[in-house]
Amino acid sequence: MKVLLVLFFVVTGFPLLAQPSAASPDARRYFGLHFDFHAVATDSLIGQNLSEQALDSLLTAVKPDFIQVDCKGHPGVSSYPSKVATATVAPHIVNDPLAFYRSVTRKHGVGLYLHYSGVYDEAAIAKHPGWAARKADGTINALKTSVHGPYVDSLLIPQLNELADYGADGVWVDGECWATVPDYSPIALAKFRAETGLQTVPRSDKDAKYGSVKDVARRSFIQYLGHYVDAVHRHRPTFRIASNWAYSSMMPQPIQTNVDFLSGDLTPNNSVNSAALEGRIMAAQGQHYRKPWDLMSWSFWYEFNPSQRQGDQKSAVHLMQEAAEIMSLGGGFQVYYQQRRDASISLRELPSMGVLSRFVRARQPFCAGSVPIPQIAVLYANETVNAFNQSLFGNGQTQRISGVLTALLDAQLPVDVLAEQHLQGRMNQFPVIVVSQQDSLNPAFRRELLDYARQGGHLVLVGAQTTRSFATELGVKVIDEQVAGPKWVFLDGTSVVLTGPFQPVRIAGTATKPIGQFLASEPGDPAPGIIATETTVGRGKLTAVYADLSRDYTKHQSARLRDFIASLIRPLLPKPVVEVSGSHLVHVVLNRQRNRLAVNLINTGGRHADPQVFTYDEVPPLTNLTVRLRTDRKPARVVQQPENKSLPIRYANGVATVVVPQLVVHSVLVVE
């Protein structure tokens, strides 16, 4: 296969200035291994089989920056001999695992972080029912503690201080934002009434103003998080704290607490595409607030619902692809392997760990500290997430953008995923902003989006409800309620079927023209209707697609739908910074790294998106990739890293052409 890559160093009208700088690369947490086993009261051999020789072998072979081991999981049972009076400790601890792991990791110069379940603590509630969150009917939630109650001061903070006193470097607090629930305990109800002035508290989403219950609960979690982070920092300022999935796709709001780093564990299946999405959201937060971040891959396939079944261990090359998606965005990478119930670590996966470690280390010098060069921004709006999430915090609303993002990446387009706080005041740095099914927008932010278009930007609106809400600005009139697919669409000589909801409209303004047309059936003649439009506004354009596209591409990954989406975007980038053609298996990430241009090429071959496939052990390499760089002068060198291969350059008419002999999984083209 051949890949054609063209780089433009200047984007007309969209200066590459005032970009957010990268968070300082965190060498202490760039590559790590996570182990947990969520101890229960019946675990009777904890610490019995801890072997310094085995741990020496692992740390010597893999050379991680850190390991994370279990100390308290969701059952709430501490797997170390905690001295905190309110703790529930496993009854038969033969040897102290934390003292063991600290001693050996210190000898190797490896960081020690601890896995600790926060809000989600079953044993604490069994022992102290008054610590529980209460359901709308007044009964206790047997799994989730109240962020308003004594739990945080009586157990969580004392135990985190205790962990710091072990000499651990930090903690990865699990079961946090995603486990937090609306709370109807007396303290929570009093707070709700005080903050809202409402005396009647809504009990379900059928009640008026139920959204205010969620809003107060979300703010309460942030206050709880900030409270314990600050308290532990007062005890041990160097103890580093992350709350799993805080400030991620589950909670993409501005960072308001003193967490030390951002982190989350990816869904175990379709993790290559998941890493591409979640990594972009984490990267935006990390760059904007200067927080180091990492993502964790599960080393094995697992299905949570409905069967909660575990599949095979992933191959090294499968995990390499996930690592590449994360590292290319400037993030750190860690892998989850299951810890034995005696708290020891199996060496069964050591060969794969070693291969993965060498892969990560080879690319670290060319990825750490990377900052993306603005091209296409996909909006992931806090307003939409909060308006439509059924839970307080969750990533269910990523389905509104995930398919569109994957289609753009599969079309070799460089894309950022940004929330409101990342775009406000810097929209003009992006030639294109895509708003896919973001059906609740703050009015002031909506006005800023339209001003961006009037000033020369290209705003792409995708989705039945989204386009309906912009009908006036688009110069169309809504003529009917939304209808379901399938709909056949004809554009640029090719038909594609759309199965998502569709909003019928008719053109009502002279500045609006149709794009594409409907077909009566796939082999049939043209049919009336408008599928997409382009509207001139000021110096810019509004492009609209009156159908939901994201789920379609996530489910089917249709090549024709990919090309349909890309065909609407490419004309809006007449002078892109990077172009790639020749293989749709390549994801492209365009960065500035250490004051140099770095073009990441990721081979995404393999059936990682197939829910029936646990893993695969072969990704066919791409060979003889043609790369064209448009520069104002001939580059001194274009080096393929980490292969350290200087590529011969042909330069003519402002275009430098090189050939990449082989792309195995992930290479970075460093332009000097």
Side-chain angles (χ1 to χ4, degrees):
M1 292 184 188
K2 289 191 175 182
V3 171
L4 180 65
L5 179 81
V6 183
L7 292 183
F8 300 78
F9 281 69
V10 178
V11 182
T12 303
F14 294 91
L16 302 181
L17 302 175
Q19 300 174 47
S21 57
S24 300
D26 190 350
R28 294 170 295 179
R29 280 193 63 90
Y30 193 79
F31 173 62
L33 304 175
H34 173 99
F35 306 93
D36 69 50
F37 65 101
H38 294 264
V40 297
T42 55
D43 287 324
S44 59
L45 300 176
I46 292 176
Q48 178 170 291
N49 296 310
L50 297 174
S51 164
E52 184 170 348
Q53 181 179 3
L55 187 55
D56 278 338
S57 298
L58 184 147
L59 299 179
T60 300
V62 182
K63 297 180 174 61
D65 295 315
F66 67 95
I67 63 171
Q68 285 175 184
V69 298
D70 194 80
C71 71
K72 177 168 80 76
H74 302 330
V77 176
S78 298
S79 56
Y80 72 102
S82 176
K83 301 297 191 297
V84 175
T86 54
T88 299
V89 180
H92 302 290
I93 297 179
V94 180
N95 291 302
D96 184 347
L98 300 196
F100 166 77
Y101 282 111
R102 179 67 286 184
S103 173
V104 180
T105 54
R106 183 178 284 122
K107 182 179 72 173
H108 285 264
V110 171
L112 177 66
Y113 288 75
L114 302 171
H115 169 261
Y116 183 98
S117 186
V119 168
Y120 196 144
D121 189 321
E122 188 174 359
I125 294 168
K127 190 185 247 185
H128 309 280
W131 293 4
R134 290 194 174 267
K135 302 177 183 178
D137 63 4
T139 60
I140 69 168
N141 187 314
L143 303 177
K144 314 296 175 56
T145 60
S146 170
V147 298
H148 304 281
Y151 168 76
V152 64
D153 290 308
S154 299
L155 179 60
L156 188 144
I157 291 173
Q159 281 204 305
L160 295 191
N161 288 343
E162 183 178 57
L163 299 178
D165 292 342
Y166 264 89
D169 295 284
V171 65
W172 194 83
V173 186
D174 198 1
E176 283 272 273
C177 66
W178 58 264
T180 303
V181 294
D183 184 8
Y184 292 85
S185 65
I187 298 176
L189 293 177
K191 180 176 182 180
F192 175 84
R193 293 185 175 107
E195 288 193 14
T196 66
L198 298 172
Q199 296 307 302
T200 301
V201 182
R203 301 281 169 166
S204 77
D205 57 8
K206 298 181 176 61
D207 295 336
K209 298 189 180 297
Y210 182 67
S212 59
V213 171
K214 289 184 173 182
D215 290 341
V216 172
R218 289 174 179 132
R219 289 195 297 271
S220 296
F221 172 77
I222 297 299
Q223 291 161 3
Y224 148 90
L225 174 60
H227 170 63
Y228 81 69
V229 168
D230 289 347
V232 177
H233 281 158
R234 285 193 294 272
H235 176 78
R236 187 65 58 88
T238 58
F239 192 69
R240 307 178 75 236
I241 302 170
S243 176
N244 182 22
W245 285 122
Y247 307 111
S248 68
S249 66
M250 296 190 184
M251 154 182 180
Q253 63 193 61
I255 296 179
Q256 301 168 302
T257 62
N258 295 314
V259 292
D260 296 288
F261 61 100
L262 310 179
S263 188
D265 55 326
L266 298 170
T267 54
N269 48 3
N270 196 16
S271 294
V272 175
N273 289 332
S274 178
L277 169 63
E278 301 290 355
R280 281 166 170 79
I281 296 170
M282 283 282 201
Q285 293 280 57
Q287 290 150 17
H288 194 76
Y289 296 100
R290 298 191 60 76
K291 297 284 187 183
W293 65 276
D294 63 65
L295 282 173
M296 179 198 302
S297 287
W298 287 39
S299 68
F300 53 93
W301 188 96
Y302 190 89
E303 183 178 59
F304 287 99
N305 294 309
S307 57
Q308 294 192 334
R309 61 194 177 104
Q310 183 173 336
D312 293 334
Q313 289 287 136
K314 294 178 183 176
S315 67
V317 72
H318 190 165
L319 290 169
M320 286 176 191
Q321 289 178 303
E322 298 176 19
E325 293 282 0
I326 295 164
M327 291 189 299
S328 69
L329 298 165
F333 179 66
Q334 57 173 310
V335 193
Y336 166 36
Y337 296 91
Q338 290 175 298
Q339 196 171 354
R340 287 174 167 159
R341 303 219 64 80
D342 60 8
S344 66
I345 295 172
S346 170
L347 300 184
R348 189 178 302 128
E349 296 300 318
L350 188 57
S352 177
M353 292 178 186
V355 171
L356 188 59
S357 173
R358 291 188 289 275
F359 177 87
V360 171
R361 294 305 191 194
R363 287 152 181 81
Q364 183 175 352
F366 314 105
C367 295
S370 293
V371 176
I373 294 175
Q375 285 289 269
I376 300 168
V378 171
L379 174 65
Y380 184 63
N382 288 292
E383 288 281 332
T384 294
V385 172
N386 287 340
F388 294 98
N389 257 354
Q390 294 300 304
S391 58
L392 296 181
F393 303 103
N395 60 5
Q397 301 314 308
T398 58
Q399 53 86 18
R400 295 170 176 270
I401 66 167
S402 56
V404 169
L405 171 66
T406 303
L408 293 172
L409 295 177
D410 289 350
Q412 290 64 66
L413 292 165
V415 187
D416 293 324
V417 177
L418 305 176
E420 296 95 329
Q421 67 268 22
H422 311 128
L423 279 170
Q424 286 168 327
R426 61 182 290 255
M427 290 185 187
N428 68 345
Q429 293 183 22
F430 292 88
V432 180
I433 297 176
V434 180
V435 179
S436 172
Q437 297 173 236
Q438 300 302 290
D439 295 336
S440 180
L441 295 176
N442 177 278
F445 184 76
R446 184 183 187 277
R447 287 193 297 272
E448 189 173 350
L449 285 172
L450 292 169
D451 287 343
Y452 153 82
R454 294 186 187 103
Q455 293 165 12
H458 299 112
L459 186 61
V460 180
L461 304 167
V462 178
Q465 181 58 39
T466 297
T467 51
R468 184 186 183 100
S469 69
F470 280 87
T472 300
E473 293 85 359
L474 291 169
V476 299
K477 183 174 178 58
V478 173
I479 59 175
D480 205 347
E481 294 301 316
Q482 295 178 23
V483 296
K487 295 282 186 182
W488 284 268
V489 176
F490 188 71
L491 180 67
D492 295 336
T494 303
S495 64
V496 58
V497 63
L498 306 180
T499 64
F502 164 72
Q503 177 60 63
V505 300
R506 64 175 174 82
I507 292 177
T510 58
T512 301
K513 63 180 183 180
I515 301 174
Q517 59 189 144
F518 283 113
L519 298 175
S521 62
E522 196 285 324
D525 294 326
I530 303 293
I531 179 58
T533 59
E534 181 180 277
T535 305
T536 300
V537 290
R539 300 196 307 272
K541 292 179 181 177
L542 302 178
T543 301
V545 183
Y546 299 91
D548 293 359
L549 303 179
S550 189
R551 281 183 183 261
D552 256 4
Y553 195 76
T554 297
K555 183 175 182 180
H556 303 294
Q557 301 219 330
S558 160
R560 291 193 173 193
L561 180 55
R562 175 201 65 211
D563 293 344
F564 173 77
I565 294 171
S567 71
L568 299 172
I569 302 297
R570 289 193 191 282
L572 307 179
L573 283 168
K575 293 185 177 180
V577 175
V578 60
E579 287 183 301
V580 177
S581 62
S583 171
H584 292 297
L585 296 178
V586 181
H587 283 184
V588 179
V589 181
L590 180 67
N591 293 328
R592 198 170 301 282
Q593 195 252 5
R594 296 180 182 173
N595 296 317
R596 59 192 181 183
L597 192 70
V599 182
N600 288 258
L601 303 175
I602 304 167
N603 181 350
T604 65
R607 296 173 64 187
H608 47 83
D610 189 335
Q612 302 305 315
V613 174
F614 290 158
T615 191
Y616 45 87
D617 60 0
E618 183 176 0
V619 175
L622 308 176
T623 58
N624 296 321
L625 310 180
T626 302
V627 178
R628 300 178 66 222
L629 311 171
R630 182 173 294 183
T631 66
D632 57 1
R633 63 183 182 276
K634 182 179 180 179
R637 292 201 308 165
V638 177
V639 185
Q640 182 183 2
Q641 297 288 8
E643 294 85 351
N644 196 29
K645 182 181 287 294
S646 185
L647 305 177
I649 303 171
R650 298 196 312 273
Y651 190 79
N653 301 319
V655 176
T657 302
V658 298
V659 174
V660 178
Q662 187 178 69
L663 175 63
V664 180
V665 175
H666 175 212
S667 289
V668 185
L669 301 186
V670 178
V671 182
E672 301 176 353

